[in-house]
Amino acid sequence: QVQLVESGGGLVQAGGSLRLSCAASGRAFSTYAMGWFRQAPGKEREFVAAISWSGGTTYYSDSVKGRFIISRDNAKNTAYLQMNSLKPEDTAVYYCAADRRTLPVYSSMSRPGEYDYWGQGTQVTVSS
C-alpha cells in the first residue's frame, strides 16, 4: 500500500516557476511508476507527466513538454514536478499517482485508469 501527499502548489504570475513534491509512504515506492495529472474546474483529469520506477523513462503531455520536468528520489520516497514558464492555462489542481504494474510506455503511463494510488491534490494558480 502507498499513501501520497502533494505539496508545493500556490499562486504564481505567468512566466514564473513552481516545484511540486509528492511524498510517498510504503517500502515499495521504488518499484512504482509515478505520474502527475491535473484537473481544472469543469474539465476532465488530464495527463501531465510520468516517470518509470527507475527514473530511466519519462513522458510529457504536448502542452507541458519543454516547460515541466518530472523526477524522483527513491531514497527520499519522493517524486517532483518542476514547472517553468507557467501559463494561465496551467491553472488546475495537480495530483500525483502511483502504479505498481504499469508498463513503462506512454500508452499506459498517460492513462489515469492505470494508476493504483492517488494523492489529495494541490492547487496551482497562474495569474496573467
Side-chain angles (χ1 to χ4, degrees):
Q1 300 295 316
V2 173
Q3 289 83 45
L4 307 174
V5 179
E6 302 99 331
S7 62
L11 176 65
V12 65
Q13 293 183 348
S17 298
L18 285 173
R19 189 191 195 198
L20 305 184
S21 297
C22 177
S25 66
R27 65 174 181 82
F29 172 79
S30 63
T31 71
Y32 285 72
M34 299 294 298
W36 286 95
F37 296 80
R38 66 188 183 187
Q39 188 166 21
K43 298 183 179 180
E44 65 181 4
R45 193 161 295 190
E46 174 189 25
F47 170 72
V48 177
I51 187 167
S52 62
W53 69 269
S54 68
T57 303
T58 59
Y59 295 106
Y60 299 92
S61 69
D62 289 340
S63 63
V64 308
K65 191 174 298 182
R67 299 188 297 123
F68 291 9
I69 301 171
I70 188 171
S71 62
R72 66 190 298 161
D73 186 339
N74 288 345
K76 296 181 178 180
N77 283 3
T78 303
Y80 305 95
L81 184 69
Q82 178 67 45
M83 305 185 295
N84 301 314
S85 301
L86 283 161
K87 305 174 181 179
E89 51 262 44
D90 294 319
T91 295
V93 177
Y94 283 70
Y95 300 89
C96 69
D99 181 15
R100 62 180 172 85
R101 63 186 183 275
T102 298
L103 188 69
V105 297
Y106 178 82
S107 59
S108 293
M109 298 182 72
S110 64
R111 296 174 180 171
E114 294 290 333
Y115 289 81
D116 300 306
Y117 307 102
W118 292 84
Q120 83 288 351
T122 186
Q123 177 70 47
V124 172
T125 302
V126 184
S127 62
S128 60

